[in-house]
Amino acid sequence: MIEICNEVISSRSAYESVQPRRCQMPKGHSRKHSEFHYLDHLRIEQKSVAEKIKRDSTMTTGAAWKSEEAGPNRILRWVMLLSDTELTRYNIRMENLKPQVVAKLREKAATYDNCMSVARKLTWLVYQMEDAPRPPQEVQEYLEGFFGEMKWGNTTCIICKEKLNFALFSKAQRGKAEIETGHISPREHNAENVGFAHRECNIAQGNKTIQEFYNWIRGIIQRVGLF
Ligand SMILES: [Zn+2]
Ligand SMILES: [Zn+2]
């Protein structure tokens, strides 16, 4: 495992006092401190993909709670680790939200370190998709230092196991991308538990773990008599 620099990077975020941003570059690096340096190349190749990785790894998912009384649309996952009382200091009043909104926000909570690790894992997976751009050697070595050797064409949908093509990122239906970040267990946001999934597969999985989802499908197939 690569040892990271961990130097505090000052930011203007209102949540700075909850968790300072930290440099994720290898310890002893020469260039300027950076939190997402390994996304710089992808940002040039396809900006939306780099932004998606950053957003999905660090923010709660945007749901239908866009209005004031329904709660924040997207919020940093580590902020959701604070207690209801602590959150009032940031003008987030959980007691005013519907219980199911609170539950949804709370289950997306994750530590800063887990979010950083998820972002690296997703980047490692993107570069292994069919037709993905090749990473600069420095980026490849950095990511391989965490998750092992990269093999092109290796990344599959975590649910249906079909190979994922990088071009799926630019395909969208009714504004929704065809590829989404998925979780083996929807309530755990860490590197071991995340991957990419077809939008359709992710919707089908819903709030189940992947194993629960497979068992459910197996039951249907048996009852229908297909097996
Ligand atoms: Zn640094
Ligand atoms: Zn799939």
Side-chain angles (χ1 to χ4, degrees):
M1 191 82 102
I2 288 177
E3 214 184 320
I4 61 164
C5 167
N6 248 334
E7 197 72 34
V8 171
I9 303 170
S10 60
S11 80
R12 287 176 302 272
S13 164
Y15 303 111
E16 176 83 28
S17 58
V18 178
Q19 167 69 56
R21 305 286 186 144
R22 290 184 176 275
C23 174
Q24 302 297 313
M25 295 181 83
K27 203 171 183 146
H29 66 91
S30 50
R31 279 180 291 144
K32 161 167 176 275
H33 298 299
S34 168
E35 199 179 24
F36 292 103
H37 68 285
Y38 54 88
L39 282 176
D40 290 349
H41 170 256
L42 206 51
R43 200 173 282 122
I44 296 163
E45 290 286 334
Q46 197 162 330
K47 197 169 175 232
S48 60
V49 178
E51 282 174 352
K52 179 181 173 55
I53 290 173
K54 204 174 151 182
R55 188 174 62 237
D56 290 356
S57 58
T58 62
M59 309 292 278
T60 65
T61 38
W65 57 67
K66 240 175 183 165
S67 66
E68 190 77 31
E69 64 276 24
N73 186 28
R74 280 183 186 276
I75 191 153
L76 292 163
R77 289 177 184 265
W78 51 88
V79 170
M80 276 299 116
L81 292 171
L82 299 180
S83 69
D84 288 9
T85 317
E86 288 170 312
L87 285 170
T88 58
R89 273 192 265 143
Y90 300 95
N91 283 321
I92 301 167
R93 304 194 185 279
M94 298 300 265
E95 71 273 17
N96 294 349
L97 306 178
K98 291 197 182 103
Q100 52 285 28
V101 175
V102 172
K104 255 193 160 160
L105 284 168
R106 289 297 191 187
E107 79 179 36
K108 308 286 181 201
T111 65
Y112 177 75
D113 286 343
N114 274 340
C115 293
M116 291 301 107
S117 188
V118 164
R120 280 190 286 263
K121 177 75 177 286
L122 293 177
T123 311
W124 181 78
L125 289 169
V126 161
Y127 279 122
Q128 294 179 81
M129 287 181 180
E130 285 177 333
D131 297 333
R134 290 293 170 114
Q137 199 186 342
E138 185 200 346
V139 172
Q140 184 179 339
E141 283 171 7
Y142 176 78
L143 297 171
E144 287 185 337
F146 291 92
F147 306 112
E149 199 188 332
M150 287 159 80
K151 295 189 186 83
W152 283 268
N154 238 18
T155 296
T156 57
C157 169
I158 55 167
I159 300 160
C160 75
K161 301 295 179 189
E162 206 182 295
K163 283 193 176 187
L164 289 175
N165 193 295
F166 185 75
L168 280 177
F169 280 117
S170 20
K171 283 192 187 154
Q173 282 185 339
R174 279 166 270 120
K176 300 282 188 182
E178 293 208 358
I179 204 164
E180 293 185 348
T181 302
H183 292 81
I184 293 166
S185 158
R187 286 162 291 276
E188 285 169 59
H189 191 67
N190 58 52
E192 296 73 53
N193 194 53
V194 296
F196 288 104
H198 295 106
R199 178 173 155 74
E200 284 178 337
C201 293
N202 209 24
I203 289 170
Q205 183 197 348
N207 217 25
K208 298 178 182 72
T209 66
I210 288 187
Q211 196 52 56
E212 287 165 351
F213 172 69
Y214 292 155
N215 293 344
W216 179 65
I217 294 280
R218 188 197 287 124
I220 293 172
I221 287 172
Q222 283 168 349
R223 287 190 296 277
V224 167
L226 287 175
F227 261 104

Coordinates of all heavy atoms in Angstrom, one line a residue, residues 93-149:
R93 N -31.1 20.8 9.9 CA -32.0 20.4 11.0 C -32.7 19.1 10.6 O -33.7 19.0 10.0 CB -33.0 21.5 11.3 CG -32.3 22.8 11.6 CD -33.1 23.9 12.2 NE -32.3 25.1 12.3 CZ -31.4 25.3 13.3 NH1 -31.3 24.4 14.3 NH2 -30.6 26.4 13.3
M94 N -32.1 18.0 11.1 CA -32.6 16.7 10.8 C -34.0 16.4 11.3 O -34.8 15.7 10.7 CB -31.6 15.6 11.3 CG -30.2 15.7 10.7 SD -30.1 15.4 8.9 CE -29.8 13.7 8.8
E95 N -34.3 17.1 12.4 CA -35.6 16.9 13.0 C -36.8 17.4 12.1 O -37.9 17.0 12.3 CB -35.7 17.4 14.4 CG -35.7 18.9 14.6 CD -34.3 19.6 14.6 OE1 -33.4 18.9 14.3 OE2 -34.2 20.8 15.1
N96 N -36.4 18.3 11.2 CA -37.4 18.8 10.3 C -37.7 17.9 9.1 O -38.5 18.2 8.3 CB -37.1 20.2 9.8 CG -37.1 21.2 11.0 OD1 -37.5 20.9 12.1 ND2 -36.5 22.4 10.7
L97 N -36.8 16.9 8.9 CA -36.9 16.1 7.7 C -37.8 14.8 8.0 O -37.9 14.4 9.2 CB -35.5 15.7 7.3 CG -34.5 16.8 7.0 CD1 -33.2 16.1 6.6 CD2 -35.0 17.7 5.9
K98 N -38.3 14.3 7.0 CA -39.1 13.1 7.1 C -38.2 11.9 7.5 O -37.0 11.9 7.1 CB -39.8 12.7 5.8 CG -40.9 13.7 5.3 CD -41.7 13.1 4.2 CE -42.8 14.0 3.7 NZ -42.4 14.6 2.4
P99 N -38.7 11.0 8.4 CA -37.8 9.9 8.9 C -37.1 9.1 7.7 O -36.0 8.8 7.8 CB -38.8 9.0 9.7 CG -39.9 9.9 10.0 CD -40.0 11.0 9.0
Q100 N -37.9 8.9 6.6 CA -37.3 8.1 5.6 C -36.1 8.9 4.8 O -35.2 8.3 4.4 CB -38.3 7.5 4.6 CG -39.3 8.4 3.9 CD -40.5 8.9 4.7 OE1 -40.5 9.1 5.9 NE2 -41.5 9.1 3.9
V101 N -36.3 10.2 4.8 CA -35.2 11.1 4.3 C -33.9 11.0 5.2 O -32.8 10.8 4.7 CB -35.6 12.5 4.1 CG1 -34.5 13.4 3.6 CG2 -36.8 12.6 3.1
V102 N -34.2 11.1 6.5 CA -33.1 11.0 7.4 C -32.4 9.7 7.3 O -31.2 9.6 7.2 CB -33.6 11.2 8.9 CG1 -32.5 10.9 9.9 CG2 -34.2 12.6 9.1
A103 N -33.2 8.6 7.2 CA -32.6 7.3 7.1 C -31.7 7.2 5.9 O -30.6 6.6 5.9 CB -33.7 6.2 7.1
K104 N -32.2 7.7 4.8 CA -31.5 7.7 3.5 C -30.2 8.4 3.6 O -29.2 8.0 3.1 CB -32.4 8.3 2.4 CG -33.0 7.2 1.5 CD -33.5 7.8 0.2 CE -33.6 6.7 -0.9 NZ -34.6 7.0 -1.9
L105 N -30.3 9.6 4.1 CA -29.1 10.4 4.3 C -28.0 9.8 5.2 O -26.9 9.7 4.9 CB -29.4 11.8 4.8 CG -30.1 12.8 3.9 CD1 -30.6 14.0 4.7 CD2 -29.1 13.3 2.8
R106 N -28.5 9.2 6.3 CA -27.7 8.6 7.3 C -27.0 7.3 6.7 O -25.9 7.0 7.1 CB -28.4 8.2 8.6 CG -28.8 9.5 9.4 CD -27.6 10.2 9.9 NE -28.0 11.2 10.9 CZ -27.1 12.1 11.4 NH1 -25.8 12.1 11.0 NH2 -27.5 13.0 12.3
E107 N -27.7 6.6 5.9 CA -27.1 5.3 5.4 C -26.0 5.6 4.3 O -25.3 4.8 4.0 CB -28.1 4.3 4.9 CG -28.8 4.6 3.6 CD -29.8 3.5 3.2 OE1 -30.5 3.0 4.1 OE2 -29.9 3.2 2.0
K108 N -26.0 6.9 3.8 CA -24.9 7.2 2.9 C -23.7 7.8 3.6 O -22.7 8.1 2.9 CB -25.5 8.3 1.9 CG -26.8 8.1 1.2 CD -26.6 7.0 0.1 CE -28.0 6.8 -0.5 NZ -28.0 5.5 -1.3
A109 N -23.7 7.9 4.9 CA -22.6 8.4 5.6 C -21.4 7.6 5.5 O -21.5 6.3 5.4 CB -23.0 8.5 7.1
A110 N -20.2 8.2 5.4 CA -19.0 7.5 5.3 C -17.8 8.4 5.8 O -17.9 9.6 5.7 CB -18.7 7.0 3.8
T111 N -16.8 7.8 6.2 CA -15.6 8.6 6.7 C -14.9 9.2 5.5 O -15.0 8.7 4.4 CB -14.6 7.7 7.5 OG1 -14.1 6.7 6.6 CG2 -15.2 7.0 8.6
Y112 N -14.2 10.2 5.7 CA -13.4 10.9 4.7 C -12.4 9.9 4.0 O -12.3 9.8 2.8 CB -12.6 12.0 5.3 CG -11.7 12.8 4.4 CD1 -12.2 13.6 3.4 CD2 -10.3 12.6 4.4 CE1 -11.4 14.3 2.5 CE2 -9.5 13.2 3.5 CZ -10.0 14.1 2.6 OH -9.2 14.8 1.7
D113 N -11.7 9.1 4.9 CA -10.8 8.1 4.3 C -11.4 7.1 3.4 O -10.9 6.7 2.4 CB -10.0 7.5 5.4 CG -9.0 8.4 6.1 OD1 -8.7 9.4 5.4 OD2 -8.5 8.1 7.2
N114 N -12.6 6.6 3.8 CA -13.3 5.7 3.0 C -13.7 6.3 1.6 O -13.6 5.7 0.6 CB -14.6 5.1 3.7 CG -14.2 3.9 4.5 OD1 -13.2 3.3 4.3 ND2 -15.1 3.6 5.5
C115 N -14.1 7.6 1.7 CA -14.5 8.3 0.4 C -13.3 8.4 -0.5 O -13.4 8.2 -1.7 CB -15.1 9.7 0.8 SG -16.7 9.6 1.6
M116 N -12.2 8.8 0.1 CA -10.9 8.9 -0.7 C -10.6 7.6 -1.4 O -10.2 7.5 -2.5 CB -9.8 9.4 0.2 CG -9.9 10.8 0.7 SD -10.0 12.1 -0.7 CE -11.8 12.5 -0.5
S117 N -10.7 6.5 -0.6 CA -10.4 5.2 -1.1 C -11.4 4.8 -2.2 O -11.0 4.1 -3.2 CB -10.5 4.2 0.1 OG -10.0 3.0 -0.3
V118 N -12.7 5.1 -2.0 CA -13.7 4.8 -3.1 C -13.3 5.5 -4.4 O -13.4 4.9 -5.5 CB -15.1 5.2 -2.6 CG1 -16.1 5.3 -3.7 CG2 -15.6 4.2 -1.5
A119 N -12.9 6.8 -4.3 CA -12.6 7.5 -5.5 C -11.4 6.9 -6.2 O -11.5 6.8 -7.5 CB -12.2 9.0 -5.1
R120 N -10.4 6.4 -5.5 CA -9.3 5.7 -6.1 C -9.8 4.4 -6.8 O -9.4 4.1 -7.9 CB -8.2 5.4 -5.1 CG -7.3 6.6 -4.7 CD -6.1 6.2 -3.9 NE -6.5 5.8 -2.5 CZ -6.4 6.7 -1.5 NH1 -5.9 7.9 -1.7 NH2 -6.8 6.4 -0.3
K121 N -10.6 3.7 -6.1 CA -11.1 2.4 -6.6 C -11.9 2.6 -7.9 O -11.7 1.9 -8.9 CB -12.0 1.7 -5.5 CG -12.6 0.4 -6.0 CD -11.6 -0.7 -6.0 CE -12.2 -2.1 -6.3 NZ -13.0 -2.7 -5.3
L122 N -12.8 3.6 -7.9 CA -13.6 3.9 -9.1 C -12.7 4.3 -10.3 O -12.9 3.9 -11.4 CB -14.6 4.9 -8.8 CG -15.7 4.6 -7.8 CD1 -16.7 5.7 -7.6 CD2 -16.5 3.3 -8.3
T123 N -11.6 5.1 -10.0 CA -10.7 5.5 -11.1 C -10.0 4.2 -11.6 O -9.8 4.1 -12.8 CB -9.7 6.5 -10.5 OG1 -10.4 7.5 -9.8 CG2 -8.9 7.1 -11.7
W124 N -9.5 3.4 -10.7 CA -8.9 2.1 -11.1 C -9.8 1.3 -12.0 O -9.3 0.7 -13.0 CB -8.5 1.4 -9.8 CG -7.8 0.1 -9.9 CD1 -6.4 -0.1 -10.1 CD2 -8.3 -1.2 -9.7 NE1 -6.1 -1.4 -10.1 CE2 -7.3 -2.1 -9.8 CE3 -9.6 -1.7 -9.4 CZ2 -7.4 -3.5 -9.6 CZ3 -9.8 -3.1 -9.2 CH2 -8.7 -4.0 -9.4
L125 N -11.1 1.3 -11.6 CA -12.0 0.5 -12.4 C -12.3 1.1 -13.8 O -12.4 0.4 -14.8 CB -13.3 0.3 -11.7 CG -13.3 -0.6 -10.5 CD1 -14.6 -0.5 -9.6 CD2 -13.1 -2.1 -10.9
V126 N -12.4 2.4 -13.8 CA -12.7 3.1 -15.1 C -11.6 2.8 -16.1 O -11.9 2.5 -17.3 CB -12.8 4.7 -14.9 CG1 -12.6 5.4 -16.2 CG2 -14.2 5.0 -14.3
Y127 N -10.4 2.9 -15.7 CA -9.2 2.7 -16.6 C -9.2 1.2 -17.1 O -8.5 1.0 -18.1 CB -7.9 3.1 -16.0 CG -7.6 4.6 -16.0 CD1 -7.4 5.3 -14.9 CD2 -7.6 5.3 -17.2 CE1 -7.1 6.7 -14.9 CE2 -7.3 6.6 -17.3 CZ -7.1 7.3 -16.1 OH -6.8 8.7 -16.2
Q128 N -9.9 0.4 -16.5 CA -9.9 -1.0 -16.9 C -11.1 -1.4 -17.8 O -11.4 -2.5 -18.1 CB -9.8 -2.0 -15.7 CG -8.5 -1.9 -15.0 CD -8.4 -2.8 -13.8 OE1 -8.2 -4.0 -13.9 NE2 -8.7 -2.2 -12.6
M129 N -11.9 -0.4 -18.1 CA -13.1 -0.6 -18.9 C -12.7 -0.7 -20.4 O -11.6 -0.2 -20.8 CB -14.1 0.6 -18.8 CG -14.8 0.6 -17.5 SD -16.0 2.0 -17.5 CE -16.7 1.7 -15.8
E130 N -13.4 -1.5 -21.2 CA -13.2 -1.6 -22.6 C -13.2 -0.2 -23.2 O -14.1 0.6 -22.8 CB -14.3 -2.4 -23.3 CG -14.1 -3.9 -23.0 CD -15.3 -4.7 -23.6 OE1 -16.4 -4.2 -23.8 OE2 -15.0 -5.9 -23.9
D131 N -12.3 0.1 -24.1 CA -12.3 1.4 -24.8 C -12.0 2.6 -23.9 O -12.2 3.8 -24.3 CB -13.6 1.7 -25.6 CG -13.8 0.7 -26.7 OD1 -12.8 0.2 -27.2 OD2 -15.0 0.5 -27.0
A132 N -11.5 2.4 -22.7 CA -11.1 3.5 -21.8 C -9.8 4.1 -22.2 O -9.0 3.4 -22.8 CB -11.0 2.9 -20.4
P133 N -9.5 5.3 -22.0 CA -8.2 5.9 -22.3 C -7.2 5.2 -21.4 O -7.5 4.7 -20.3 CB -8.4 7.4 -21.9 CG -9.5 7.5 -21.0 CD -10.4 6.3 -21.3
R134 N -5.9 5.2 -21.9 CA -4.8 4.7 -21.1 C -4.4 5.7 -20.1 O -4.2 6.9 -20.5 CB -3.7 4.3 -22.0 CG -4.0 3.1 -22.9 CD -4.1 1.8 -22.1 NE -4.6 0.7 -22.9 CZ -3.9 -0.4 -23.1 NH1 -2.7 -0.5 -22.7 NH2 -4.5 -1.4 -23.8
P135 N -4.2 5.3 -18.9 CA -3.7 6.3 -17.9 C -2.2 6.6 -18.0 O -1.4 5.7 -18.5 CB -3.9 5.5 -16.5 CG -3.8 4.1 -16.9 CD -4.3 3.9 -18.3
P136 N -1.8 7.7 -17.6 CA -0.3 8.0 -17.6 C 0.3 7.0 -16.6 O -0.3 6.6 -15.6 CB -0.2 9.4 -17.0 CG -1.6 10.0 -17.1 CD -2.6 8.9 -17.1
Q137 N 1.5 6.7 -16.9 CA 2.2 5.7 -16.1 C 2.2 6.0 -14.6 O 2.0 5.1 -13.7 CB 3.7 5.5 -16.5 CG 4.3 4.2 -16.0 CD 5.8 4.1 -16.4 OE1 6.3 4.9 -17.2 NE2 6.4 3.2 -15.7
E138 N 2.3 7.3 -14.2 CA 2.4 7.7 -12.8 C 1.0 7.4 -12.1 O 1.0 6.9 -11.0 CB 2.6 9.2 -12.8 CG 2.8 9.8 -11.5 CD 2.6 11.3 -11.5 OE1 2.6 11.9 -12.6 OE2 2.4 11.9 -10.4
V139 N -0.1 7.6 -12.9 CA -1.4 7.4 -12.3 C -1.6 5.9 -12.2 O -2.1 5.4 -11.2 CB -2.5 8.0 -13.2 CG1 -3.9 7.6 -12.8 CG2 -2.4 9.5 -13.3
Q140 N -1.2 5.1 -13.2 CA -1.4 3.7 -13.2 C -0.6 3.1 -12.0 O -1.2 2.3 -11.2 CB -0.8 3.1 -14.5 CG -1.0 1.6 -14.5 CD -0.5 0.9 -15.8 OE1 -0.4 1.6 -16.8 NE2 -0.3 -0.4 -15.8
E141 N 0.6 3.5 -11.8 CA 1.4 3.0 -10.7 C 0.8 3.3 -9.3 O 0.8 2.5 -8.4 CB 2.9 3.5 -10.7 CG 3.6 2.7 -11.8 CD 5.0 3.3 -12.0 OE1 5.4 4.3 -11.3 OE2 5.7 2.9 -13.0
Y142 N 0.3 4.5 -9.2 CA -0.4 5.0 -8.0 C -1.6 4.1 -7.7 O -1.7 3.6 -6.6 CB -0.8 6.5 -8.1 CG -1.5 7.1 -7.0 CD1 -0.9 7.4 -5.8 CD2 -2.9 7.2 -7.0 CE1 -1.6 8.0 -4.7 CE2 -3.6 7.8 -6.0 CZ -3.0 8.1 -4.8 OH -3.7 8.7 -3.7
L143 N -2.5 3.9 -8.6 CA -3.7 3.2 -8.4 C -3.4 1.7 -8.2 O -4.0 1.1 -7.3 CB -4.7 3.3 -9.6 CG -5.2 4.8 -9.8 CD1 -5.9 4.9 -11.1 CD2 -6.0 5.2 -8.6
E144 N -2.4 1.2 -8.9 CA -2.0 -0.2 -8.7 C -1.4 -0.5 -7.4 O -1.5 -1.6 -6.8 CB -1.1 -0.7 -9.8 CG -1.8 -0.8 -11.2 CD -0.8 -1.4 -12.3 OE1 0.4 -1.2 -12.2 OE2 -1.4 -1.9 -13.3
G145 N -0.8 0.6 -6.8 CA -0.2 0.5 -5.5 C -1.3 0.2 -4.4 O -1.0 -0.3 -3.3
F146 N -2.6 0.5 -4.7 CA -3.7 0.3 -3.8 C -4.4 -1.0 -4.1 O -4.8 -1.7 -3.2 CB -4.6 1.5 -3.8 CG -4.1 2.7 -3.2 CD1 -3.5 3.7 -4.0 CD2 -4.1 3.0 -1.8 CE1 -2.9 4.8 -3.5 CE2 -3.6 4.1 -1.3 CZ -3.0 5.1 -2.1
F147 N -4.7 -1.2 -5.4 CA -5.6 -2.3 -5.7 C -5.1 -3.4 -6.6 O -5.8 -4.2 -7.1 CB -6.9 -1.6 -6.4 CG -7.5 -0.6 -5.6 CD1 -7.5 0.8 -6.0 CD2 -8.1 -0.9 -4.3 CE1 -8.1 1.8 -5.2 CE2 -8.7 0.1 -3.5 CZ -8.7 1.4 -4.0
G148 N -3.8 -3.3 -6.9 CA -3.2 -4.3 -7.8 C -3.2 -4.0 -9.3 O -3.7 -3.0 -9.7
E149 N -2.7 -5.0 -10.0 CA -2.4 -4.8 -11.4 C -3.7 -4.5 -12.2 O -4.8 -5.1 -11.9 CB -1.8 -6.1 -12.0 CG -1.1 -5.9 -13.3 CD -0.7 -7.2 -13.9 OE1 -0.4 -8.1 -13.2 OE2 -0.6 -7.3 -15.2

